[in-house]
Every structure is written in C-alpha cells, then in structure tokens.
Amino acid sequence: MKPIIGIAGNERTMTMGETFWLSYTSRNFVEGIQAADGLPLVLPIGQPEDAKTYIQRIDKLLLGGGHDVNPKLYGQEPHPYLEEINEKRDAFELRLIDEAIKQGKPIFGICRGMQLVNVAFGGTLHQDISLFGPTKIKHVQESEMNKRTHPVQIKAASRLATFLPEAYSVNSYHHQTIKDVALNFTTTAQAPDGIIEAIEANDLPIMAIQWHPELTRSTFDTEQQLFTYFVQKL
C-alpha cells in the first residue's frame, strides 16, 4: 500500500462577493508526493486536541512554509522585522509534531517547517536574517523560484548526503533562520555565509531543509529525490 503523507495545510481568505476562508496546500507538494508513490492528505489547521487522531490516520508528516513562527515560542519578544504570524497554526502544527514523535511517524520540514521543528525541540530563530549578521547571499531571491541561486555544503554521513552531492545549490526564499540548533539535532547543510540550510534529528526520523524543493522538483531530479527519500525511506 502507498504511504499516506499528511501535509499540514495553510489558510487564507478569499473574496468573491463575500469573504470566506480557504484551507489549502501547494499543488507542488501534492505532485512531489505523488511522484514519490505516496498518497497526499491535506490536514487543515484545526484544534490541537485533534492532532492525535490526524496523526493516527497518516504514515508520515510534511510541514511546509508560510507564516513566521511566533517568537514567544522561543522566548523572544516580537522584533520590528517580524512578519505575519498565525498562532492557531503554530499551536496545531506543534501538536502534530508532538503526536508524530509519540506515534513514531517520520517528519519532513520545509522552510517554516524546518524552523518550527527546531523551535519544537527547544531551538531558537533569528526573527530576520539581518539579525544574523552581514551576508552577501540573497536569501530572498528575485529570480524565478524554479531556479537555484546559491550554494550549500551538505554534511557527509547525513541523510541528505546519501542522495545529494556535498557541493550542492538551492533556491531560497526566507527572511527568518535558525539561531540555536535544538539539542539532539545536527546541522546537515549550510550556506557559505553560515546560514543553516538543513537539520536532522540524531535519533528520530526527522529531516528538515530551508529551501523549497517543491518549486524546483520539475526542473532538477535531485530535488524530487528529497520527496522520494522522505516518502520511501525516512
């Protein structure tokens, strides 16, 4: 049977005569999972107490991008550069992570998903890359997102290194980044400026990356391999 991959959904408003809410995920996530022979299932933002039941019905959990993570979750007050947060989404996805760990379900985090995983296990974030320090790398690229714009170094003996070359390149669209890596996690990829581009748990089936393979998977086979590894091997 194909593994069922739960995709934590996002939400937004839409106006057509009246304003109403949409629960959604990117079609690119859906197609990446389908191409890896998995069955995608979107999990709409809901009540944290329902997370246990959602996780029982899936085999693996994917956390995607979107809102900034609320800095109060890692002991900071909001900085002027903080962008939109969604406290309901934070609470629901944190409970999804907690239940996935309790039930032994693998997790793959992408962009915000990586940042939230790090916070869930006690790590911290820079609320804006400018707080990290000077860098010559443009982490919010202006070119099309199906293009790779800066290099990263993949750590040998990591999960990523089993299918990606150590010298790699990625697309980039994020203004927050990891500050302190959570205990029992290892940095598995970094940009030349020191920005953390991937982490994985030392003793749990969790891997997370900062870039967006869902937007490059149709152009670069190695990007689809991220989904294939997650669906078939993690």
Side-chain angles (χ1 to χ4, degrees), residues 147-154 164-172 197 211 216 220 222-223 226:
K147 295 181 179 179
R148 302 188 293 193
T149 58
H150 76 73
V152 298
Q153 185 70 24
I154 307 292
L164 295 181
E166 292 184 25
Y168 195 55
S169 59
V170 300
N171 62 4
S172 190
E197 295 284 342
W211 67 95
T216 48
F220 302 100
T222 50
E223 297 289 87
L226 285 153

Side-chain angles (χ1 to χ4, degrees), residues 8-108:
N10 202 347
E11 62 184 12
R12 64 182 177 88
T13 58
M14 183 175 182
T15 301
M16 294 179 64
E18 60 180 306
T19 299
F20 56 92
W21 285 95
L22 292 177
S23 294
Y24 73 97
T25 193
S26 168
R27 179 179 177 180
N28 301 295
F29 287 137
V30 171
E31 292 179 343
I33 290 168
Q34 290 172 332
D37 210 25
L39 291 175
L41 180 64
V42 181
L43 310 180
I45 298 171
Q47 298 302 317
E49 57 265 30
D50 293 330
K52 179 178 180 179
T53 304
Y54 277 120
I55 296 298
Q56 287 173 340
R57 284 159 170 74
I58 66 173
D59 296 300
K60 303 184 181 188
L61 174 65
L62 188 150
L63 300 167
H67 302 90
D68 284 2
V69 177
N70 190 335
K72 292 184 178 180
L73 294 171
Y74 50 94
Q76 294 183 16
E77 291 299 317
H79 188 276
Y81 293 157
L82 182 71
E83 297 182 0
E84 183 180 4
I85 63 171
N86 184 326
E87 292 182 298
K88 186 176 179 182
R89 183 182 183 188
D90 286 341
F92 182 63
E93 291 187 354
L94 285 170
R95 188 68 68 85
L96 289 176
I97 293 170
D98 182 59
E99 285 296 335
I101 297 308
K102 289 178 180 177
Q103 298 182 35
K105 307 291 177 72
I107 299 172
F108 181 29

Side-chain angles (χ1 to χ4, degrees), residues 157-222:
S158 65
R159 292 185 176 102
L160 290 178
T162 63
F163 59 93
L164 295 181
E166 292 184 25
Y168 195 55
S169 59
V170 300
N171 62 4
S172 190
Y173 197 84
H174 65 106
H175 88 104
Q176 295 196 313
T177 188
I178 287 179
K179 181 181 180 182
D180 301 304
V181 178
L183 293 176
N184 297 318
F185 275 73
T186 298
T187 298
T188 54
Q190 282 185 277
D193 58 6
I195 292 288
I196 294 171
E197 295 284 342
I199 59 173
E200 63 184 48
N202 298 333
D203 53 5
L204 293 170
I206 303 174
M207 58 182 268
I209 61 174
Q210 186 60 71
W211 67 95
H212 289 270
E214 76 277 15
L215 300 175
T216 48
R217 52 165 294 275
S218 296
T219 308
F220 302 100
D221 290 341
T222 50

